[in-house]
Amino acid sequence: MKNRITDLVRGLRDLPITSAPFVLAAIAGVGAYAFLQIADEVSEAEFDALDRGLLMAFRQPDDLATPLGPPWFREFMAELTALGGYPLLTIIVALVVGYLIVARMFGPALFTVLAVVSGTAVSQLLKVLYDRPRPDVVEQLVTVHTASFPSGHAAMSAVVYLTLASLIVRLVDSTAIRVYVLVVALLLTVSIGISRIYLGVHWPSDVAAGWAFGIAWASLSWLAVAALRALRGREGEG
């Protein structure tokens, strides 16, 4: 059974940073704590004034139906937010998993699917559990159908892009490439979350909670990889 479990990380490289597991555990703990704190404050309406203020800060003061910036920027934000939508994320994950399968890295391919699917399921369960209405103080510039808390786009962009980043940094040896991949994943996650507020479909606290959940989940995935790699090392396998 050990061999089957550790096969999930077969072919991945070990990172030279020995303290990484402790850092990842700390990030996961902070993320989980932040999510619970935000959820508690939201349930008690403690963030209502701040949420409204930040949401309206993205709109023209004399016309809350119109966001700041020229029309082309609104279109840009609408297209940017699609990078955190389920259709595009599904395609990206499928392409990466397809590559891993072609490269005969079946364990990492399965690990990627398990990490993303489980994160998606938990994110959707949280939406059902909290069932927070979408913002109604400004016009929503894109169509939405689910509950507001936590932001699925913010959560899943963090889960997907950071989890994929955790795989890529273990497939290359270059420190520069590893840093680049991590920075890109973080920038995508932050940008997508901000786009949800700009488009008026999420309260800022929804996005903050989504980030907290997504980062915590991705950190747990990274931690799982580190643990399995350590176990595989003790078994004397590559």
Side-chain angles (χ1 to χ4, degrees):
M1 187 61 181
K2 279 185 178 181
N3 288 337
R4 292 181 181 178
I5 293 175
T6 58
D7 278 348
L8 290 172
V9 294
R10 184 177 183 180
L12 299 182
R13 291 170 171 78
D14 293 319
L15 298 180
I17 306 174
T18 57
S19 61
F22 303 100
V23 174
L24 291 172
I27 293 175
V30 170
Y33 177 78
F35 174 85
L36 293 174
Q37 285 296 107
I38 295 170
D40 182 62
E41 296 296 327
V42 165
S43 65
E44 297 177 358
E46 295 291 336
F47 283 152
D48 284 5
L50 180 61
D51 271 339
R52 287 175 179 271
L54 291 175
L55 194 63
M56 290 189 288
F58 285 89
R59 298 302 171 108
Q60 299 289 351
D62 56 345
D63 182 11
L64 295 180
T66 305
L68 298 175
W72 66 263
F73 186 71
R74 302 171 208 167
E75 183 177 348
F76 169 78
M77 293 299 275
E79 293 179 357
L80 173 64
T81 206
L83 293 175
Y86 287 110
L88 190 54
L89 289 178
T90 300
I91 292 172
I92 291 172
V93 172
L95 290 174
V96 172
V97 169
Y99 165 78
L100 293 172
I101 290 174
V102 171
R104 303 188 66 79
M105 299 181 68
F106 303 115
L110 177 58
F111 179 88
T112 301
V113 172
L114 291 175
V116 172
V117 170
S118 57
T120 302
V122 174
S123 175
Q124 289 302 308
L125 285 174
L126 290 172
K127 278 185 174 290
V128 173
L129 175 63
Y130 290 102
D131 195 28
R132 189 186 193 187
R134 296 275 179 170
D136 56 1
V137 296
V138 297
E139 181 180 347
Q140 299 176 4
L141 302 182
V142 293
T143 304
V144 290
H145 302 288
T146 59
S148 193
F149 186 92
S151 166
H153 279 65
M156 293 314 301
S157 60
V159 169
V160 171
Y161 292 124
L162 292 177
T163 297
L164 294 182
S166 73
L167 289 174
I168 294 174
V169 300
R170 289 178 177 274
L171 293 174
V172 298
D173 294 318
S174 170
T175 300
I177 293 176
R178 287 171 173 171
V179 172
Y180 172 79
V181 168
L182 290 175
V183 170
V184 168
L186 287 171
L187 287 177
L188 281 172
T189 299
V190 171
S191 300
I192 291 167
I194 292 174
S195 75
R196 303 305 285 171
I197 303 172
Y198 179 87
L199 296 170
V201 293
H202 275 296
W203 300 105
S205 55
D206 298 334
V207 172
W211 282 335
F213 167 80
I215 290 173
W217 196 268
S219 296
L220 287 175
S221 298
W222 283 46
L223 191 59
V225 171
L228 290 174
R229 286 299 304 173
L231 179 59
R232 192 171 184 86
R234 285 198 295 270
E235 294 172 351
E237 300 177 11

